Amino acid sequence: MFESLTNKLQGIFDQLGQRGTLTEADVDVVMREVRMALLEADVNLAVVKDFVKRVKERAVGAEVLKALRPGQMVVKIVFEELIETLGEPGKLDLNGPSPRVIMLVGLQGSGKTTTAAKLALRIRKEGRRPYLIAADTYRPAAVDQIKTLAKQLGVPIYDEGTSASPPDICERGVRVARDAGASVVIIDTAGRLQIDDRLMSELEAIKARTQPAEILLVADAMTGQEAVKIAEGFNQRVGLTGLILTKMDGDARGGAAISMRAVTGVPIKFVGMGEKSDALEPFYPDRVAQRILGMGDMLSLIEKAQETFDMKEAERLQRKLLHADFNLEDFLAQMQQVKKMGPIGQLLEMIPGMNRFKDQIDQAEAEKSMRKIEALIHSMTVEERRNPRMLNASRKKRVSRGAGYYNTPQKPEHELEGVQEINQLLKQFREMQKMMKMIKGGRGIDLGRMFR
């Protein structure tokens, strides 16, 4: 989402880093460019003015002008002020008498219903007992949608269809959830196409009758500046305690994420990063700031790996690698675990310095290449995977045909293409084995020797 802003800021700071000294005039030029980059990223004008003012005041001070590397010091200041603008990490208030009520509000189409299910799953993973209430009685099929999601996730839900009034449904639902021993109740309220008095009056009634610990606005991050106005409107009437931004994996300019916290004073607590039920992540301002400035996000990458990887399997593969006993079966298992972590582009964004190379990689082609490698390895026998030296010319042709990518009868050259890809795969695999043997032998890696 912040790709355009990241690229612009990186360009500005790359030029800055080449200067040995920095004058006040230099700072003025840099701040003008930063201001334009933020405005083009759809950040609120008032937020941009305040941000640039704070950065400039610090950038023309002694801490920069007397620094050995003034360009790096300016980047540090921008980073710290960006974190200040994005605010502190916001945690859910779930401590207190059960059940704690979380009320989700927002306009129609913002993703409230799917977010309610994602939030229930996340809360359950933390060891709590969530309970859903279907209170969107206006949108066609909204009740059916959340009931389906609840069934898929195995989360209990209270609904009365679409005939009763939402405040009545919520009051009775909380009572049922309490009797069932739920620790957290999540209310999926109705939305409208725009803010109106009837909607707000209904939400105020639900708030009065359920006494929620959290009132979270679910906002579509791709809405841009309109999302900021929506947040202000809901905050004035029902008093928000936090924000959840959906569709943060999209290609919008990202300004709403930077603006909403600054304008409302309400913390962003979660961001939706996809359609899957587990694609709801806590919002960490420092990590977002790192990614905006192209510094990567290693903590998120490590957490993603910890969630995805089977640690026992990873340890087993590590032992095999160090004993030079790594085969194609192990290579396939490792590749499949890496794929679970997400698209290659998302992973590159999290590695410091790699974001700028993301555009140089054809991600669709890279994904296709990985699928082909999987198909080729799956087409081999167990013995061939464990002992690739068995793969002679005839076996390679058979594997090529079995992979499904290279078996067009009208084009026999496709079979040859498959054999060539097998040869390339085996070459890369042998180089990796050589490297492991060198590490095991304590000789270090002589790259020149490896590729001779």
Side-chain angles (χ1 to χ4, degrees):
M1 170 161 281
F2 296 107
E3 185 176 348
S4 175
L5 178 59
T6 298
N7 291 340
K8 284 187 172 67
L9 290 178
Q10 276 184 348
I12 294 166
F13 296 140
D14 283 347
Q15 294 173 27
L16 203 59
Q18 295 167 8
R19 301 181 190 179
T21 59
L22 206 62
T23 65
E24 188 169 340
D26 292 331
V27 172
D28 284 338
V29 171
V30 169
M31 286 300 100
R32 273 200 301 273
E33 292 189 45
V34 169
R35 182 175 185 271
M36 288 305 299
L38 291 169
L39 289 173
E40 285 176 21
D42 216 11
V43 181
N44 180 274
L45 178 60
V47 175
V48 172
K49 284 182 176 178
D50 182 57
F51 176 81
V52 170
K53 180 185 174 186
R54 296 198 318 264
V55 172
K56 187 177 177 182
E57 283 174 357
R58 290 182 61 187
V60 297
E63 63 179 312
V64 169
L65 300 182
K66 292 182 180 179
L68 289 174
R69 294 186 177 180
Q72 289 185 357
M73 188 59 76
V74 171
V75 175
K76 179 177 180 289
I77 291 170
V78 170
F79 174 63
E80 290 170 353
E81 293 300 331
L82 198 49
I83 293 174
E84 178 69 24
T85 303
L86 290 168
E88 293 292 318
K91 292 187 176 180
L92 291 176
D93 177 15
L94 298 180
N95 297 318
S98 292
R100 303 295 277 172
V101 177
I102 299 174
M103 180 176 161
L104 299 186
V105 301
L107 295 188
Q108 201 173 97
S110 61
K112 281 194 312 301
T113 302
T114 51
T115 299
K118 289 176 183 178
L119 193 56
L121 179 62
R122 183 167 195 91
I123 286 169
R124 188 174 66 187
K125 284 182 178 178
E126 294 173 359
R128 302 178 190 271
R129 298 180 302 280
Y131 210 105
L132 288 164
I133 295 178
D136 184 353
T137 60
Y138 303 105
R139 183 169 63 86
V143 174
D144 291 337
Q145 182 188 358
I146 195 167
K147 283 170 68 177
T148 301
L149 290 169
K151 185 177 180 181
Q152 288 171 354
L153 300 176
V155 175
I157 184 168
Y158 180 84
D159 84 280
E160 294 184 19
T162 58
S163 54
S165 76
D168 290 342
I169 292 171
C170 293
E171 186 176 6
R172 287 190 285 263
V174 170
R175 198 159 52 236
V176 169
R178 182 182 292 113
D179 293 342
S183 55
V184 181
V185 173
I186 301 167
I187 301 174
D188 177 31
T189 66
R192 300 284 193 282
L193 292 175
Q194 59 187 24
I195 292 174
D196 60 27
D197 191 62
R198 183 184 169 197
L199 167 66
M200 291 303 176
S201 297
E202 185 177 276
L203 294 177
E204 286 169 340
I206 293 172
K207 176 183 177 181
R209 292 166 71 171
T210 62
Q211 297 298 307
E214 293 274 5
I215 301 177
L216 305 178
L217 172 68
V218 180
D220 183 342
M222 299 181 77
T223 311
Q225 284 307 299
E226 188 60 30
V228 180
K229 295 177 185 175
I230 292 165
E232 284 184 297
F234 276 96
N235 196 31
Q236 288 168 5
R237 288 293 295 267
V238 295
L240 302 174
T241 61
L243 307 167
I244 299 179
L245 293 184
T246 59
K247 303 177 187 174
M248 282 286 283
D249 56 327
D251 60 358
R253 287 170 288 184
I258 298 174
S259 307
M260 288 174 79
R261 157 59 178 76
V263 170
T264 63
V266 174
I268 301 169
K269 298 199 174 184
F270 294 97
V271 290
M273 297 298 292
E275 294 298 319
K276 293 183 180 179
S277 56
D278 61 350
L280 187 71
E281 301 177 3
F283 183 79
Y284 296 108
D286 55 338
R287 300 186 192 182
V288 171
Q290 284 174 353
R291 288 169 81 166
I292 289 173
L293 297 181
M295 298 175 181
D297 183 1
M298 287 304 294
L299 280 175
S300 291
L301 184 63
I302 290 165
E303 286 173 3
K304 195 177 278 283
Q306 286 174 336
E307 287 177 10
T308 305
F309 275 67
D310 180 330
M311 297 313 291
K312 287 184 179 178
E313 176 67 9
E315 287 170 8
R316 184 187 72 80
L317 291 174
Q318 185 181 21
R319 285 194 298 272
K320 295 197 77 173
L321 268 171
L322 292 176
H323 288 86
D325 189 27
F326 195 76
N327 58 43
L328 285 173
E329 217 166 35
D330 303 317
F331 178 75
L332 178 65
Q334 189 81 348
M335 190 169 69
Q336 288 173 333
Q337 291 213 55
V338 171
K339 276 180 67 179
K340 290 178 187 175
M341 291 176 65
I344 292 170
Q346 276 188 18
L347 301 183
L348 285 177
E349 284 176 1
M350 296 182 188
I351 302 171
M354 292 301 290
N355 183 68
R356 63 185 67 199
F357 299 115
K358 188 183 72 169
D359 292 337
Q360 297 174 24
I361 296 172
D362 187 333
Q363 294 181 50
E365 192 58 38
E367 299 283 349
K368 183 180 176 182
S369 180
M370 287 179 75
R371 287 196 299 271
K372 282 187 175 182
I373 290 171
E374 280 186 281
L376 287 169
I377 298 175
H378 278 303
S379 184
M380 297 173 191
T381 65
V382 174
E383 291 79 10
E384 288 167 346
R385 290 181 215 164
R386 292 177 180 171
N387 182 16
R389 293 181 183 278
M390 294 174 61
L391 289 164
N392 56 26
S394 62
R395 285 175 180 265
K396 288 176 185 176
K397 286 181 181 179
R398 191 205 78 244
V399 170
S400 174
R401 289 193 297 270
Y405 283 94
Y406 317 100
N407 58 350
T408 310
Q410 295 83 0
K411 294 185 178 179
E413 65 270 18
H414 282 193
E415 185 179 280
L416 179 60
E417 182 190 334
V419 171
Q420 288 171 344
E421 293 212 21
I422 293 170
N423 289 336
Q424 182 65 24
L425 169 63
L426 294 177
K427 181 186 175 187
Q428 291 171 344
F429 182 71
R430 282 193 293 270
E431 300 300 352
M432 187 169 63
Q433 284 184 320
K434 280 184 191 177
M435 188 170 66
M436 289 303 113
K437 284 178 182 176
M438 289 176 190
I439 293 172
K440 186 186 175 189
R443 288 181 287 155
I445 302 171
D446 180 354
L447 292 176
R449 184 181 169 205
M450 272 180 66
F451 294 101
R452 277 199 289 271

